């Protein structure tokens, strides 16, 4: 007679259980949505962006829920041709970290990839910016929310719109409208490149 024993650890988890756990997680930890902009124009840009996404996903109290397509962008605020082009992307995360702790984590990720802050608009291995945190509006000079220039930057708005077409930038309105206003000149979708969502 065949044993009817089964190991519960190898069974697929029913969707209803996953939904219940997620609901409990939401109730208990009260996570907030945040939008992070990623950019790199030195070294292996795609590998660095993926590394940054993975490092964010390894952060306690943070889950990466969506990652945008990759865009190639002319450097902003400098003479044309003076720097390599950027790869840009946006990550949507749910986090229980307060904004100040999220900023510390963003800086830690930059440091891990040897980000150097020698000049304004200088080239960089990785840039991790908090674009928005829930509906928080703050003029704190350490962390201004939402990001004070996000509403004018197609390299933030285009990937954000791709990953969340209904997105709103607090204090500025729908991302779709902001993107229409600034246009997408100098911002090219790289359909041949892809960032993986961490497991």
């Amino acid at each position: 007679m065949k044993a009817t024993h089964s190991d519960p650890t190898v069974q697929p988890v029913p969707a209803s259980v996953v939904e219940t756990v997620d609901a409990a997680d939401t109730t208990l930890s009260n996570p907030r949505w945040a939008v992070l902009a990623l950019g790199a124009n030195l070294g292996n840009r795609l590998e660095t962006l993926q590394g940054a996404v993975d490092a964010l996903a390894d952060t306690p109290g943070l889950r990466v829920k969506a990652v945008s397509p990759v865009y190639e962008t002319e450097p902003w605020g400098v003479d044309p041709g003076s720097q390599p082009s950027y790869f840009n992307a946006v990550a949507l995360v749910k986090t229980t970290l307060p904004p100040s702790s999220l900023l510390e984590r963003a800086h830690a990720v930059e440091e891990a990839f040897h980000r150097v802050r020698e000049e304004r608009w200088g080239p960089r291995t990785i840039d991790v910016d908090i674009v928005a945190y829930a509906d928080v509006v703050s003029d704190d000079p350490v962390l201004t929310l939402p990001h004070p220039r996000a509403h004018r930057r197609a390299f933030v708005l285009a990937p954000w719109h791709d990953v969340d077409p209904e997105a709103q930038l607090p204090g500025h309105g729908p991302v779709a409208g902001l993107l229409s206003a600034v246009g997408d000149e100098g911002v090219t979708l790289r359909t041949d490149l892809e960032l993986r969502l961490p497991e």
Side-chain angles (χ1 to χ4, degrees), residues 129-191:
D129 284 332
I130 302 174
V131 176
Y133 182 99
D135 295 323
V136 175
V137 176
S138 167
D139 59 3
D140 184 332
V142 175
L143 177 58
T144 304
L145 290 170
H147 191 288
R149 292 174 292 280
H151 64 288
R152 299 198 305 263
R153 292 182 167 178
F155 62 82
V156 172
L157 299 170
W160 188 5
H161 180 260
D162 281 348
V163 81
D164 185 3
E166 304 300 317
Q168 301 265 341
L169 181 62
H172 294 280
V175 168
L178 297 170
L179 180 58
S180 294
V182 300
D184 58 3
E185 186 178 346
V187 179
T188 306
L189 177 62
R190 290 292 301 266
T191 55

Side-chain angles (χ1 to χ4, degrees), residues 49-71:
L49 288 183
Q50 184 65 60
V53 170
D54 293 344
L56 288 167
D58 286 341
T59 305
L62 187 152
R63 290 169 71 184
V64 179
K65 304 296 280 185
V67 181
S68 77
V70 176
Y71 280 76

Side-chain angles (χ1 to χ4, degrees), residues 6 17 38 47 51-52 54 72 79 84 93-94 98 101 112-113 117 133 138 149 153 157 164 170 178 184 187:
S6 66
V17 173
L38 312 173
E47 191 175 280
D54 293 344
E72 188 162 11
D79 293 333
V93 306
K94 277 185 113 171
S101 297
F113 287 94
R117 298 173 183 273
Y133 182 99
S138 167
R149 292 174 292 280
R153 292 182 167 178
L157 299 170
D164 185 3
L178 297 170
D184 58 3
V187 179

